[in-house]
Amino acid sequence: MLWSAPKQLKLLMSHQLNSRQGPSTIRTQLRQTSVVVARPARGEARFALACGHCGREGVFVVQDLDTTNQLRRVPIIRSVLLALVFLALPVSFAIIGFGGGDILFQVLTIPAGLIFGPFGLALLIAPTGKIGVEVPEPMFYESNTSRQGFTYVTRNKHAGQGLSCVGRVEVVK
Ligand SMILES: [Zn+2]
């Protein structure tokens, strides 16, 4: 996702209100509740965010910057090395091929570039998605469920509809 750990984070509870399946598309309506928080100076901080639709409280655990950077170190190194390997393959085919002018190498270079190039670039742009936040467990409801007072009320029950209420985290730019 990023080269450096984001300091500000947007925590979201994203509740699927309905999901209609057409011939080739699935339309989903979401109710999103969000809050922007800053990382704690030291240690971990817990933020509870109630979903605006079902009322479920999701708990997000946010690590401080030092801990987050530590968590990111290994995946960043790994993805940079992998990116170099992916990019080096087509480049080395190209260098060898241009030297000899052999058609075989050109045949190898183009597909290798097409296959490995995008992977390498994606890894270089997004070394890791780890941002030191634990999101709440996702919940799945069989139908439209929301909290009213102390009880959960279920409407429009359709078997197997599988509506979800998930916690997500976004980076604040
Ligand atoms: Zn919800």
Side-chain angles (χ1 to χ4, degrees):
M1 196 184 283
L2 289 166
W3 274 99
S4 60
K7 290 184 183 65
Q8 288 224 309
L9 302 155
K10 189 180 193 182
L11 311 178
L12 295 114
M13 290 297 280
S14 181
H15 194 112
Q16 203 182 350
L17 296 175
N18 59 51
S19 164
R20 273 190 212 104
Q21 194 162 1
S24 62
T25 52
I26 298 175
R27 278 168 187 280
T28 305
Q29 258 189 307
L30 297 170
R31 165 84 189 260
Q32 289 196 327
T33 317
S34 66
V35 63
V36 174
V37 300
R39 257 178 222 290
R42 197 162 275 276
E44 61 178 37
R46 284 167 183 270
F47 298 95
L49 177 62
C51 169
H53 185 71
C54 70
R56 179 170 84 97
E57 252 188 14
V59 176
F60 295 77
V61 184
V62 180
Q63 303 293 337
D64 65 21
L65 205 57
D66 285 349
T67 311
T68 304
N69 284 330
Q70 242 166 42
L71 288 171
R72 291 165 60 81
R73 206 155 294 153
V74 170
I76 283 186
I77 292 169
R78 197 191 296 140
S79 81
V80 168
L81 287 178
L82 212 56
L84 289 178
V85 170
F86 281 152
L87 294 175
L89 271 171
V91 170
S92 57
F93 280 144
I95 291 168
I96 300 165
F98 286 131
D102 196 329
I103 191 74
L104 176 69
F105 288 109
Q106 289 173 32
V107 168
L108 285 173
T109 306
I110 295 165
L114 286 177
I115 294 165
F116 296 115
F119 279 118
L121 287 177
L123 286 167
L124 277 183
I125 293 164
T128 179
K130 258 195 196 310
I131 52 174
V133 181
E134 231 177 88
V135 299
E137 291 270 299
M139 280 277 282
F140 297 95
Y141 298 112
E142 268 185 29
S143 60
N144 185 4
T145 302
S146 62
R147 195 165 77 171
Q148 290 182 355
F150 292 104
T151 53
Y152 284 88
V153 178
T154 295
R155 287 189 202 86
N156 312 325
K157 202 170 164 69
H158 298 298
Q161 201 174 9
L163 300 173
S164 64
C165 179
V166 299
R168 293 195 299 114
V169 59
E170 280 177 7
V171 172
V172 178
K173 297 211 171 75

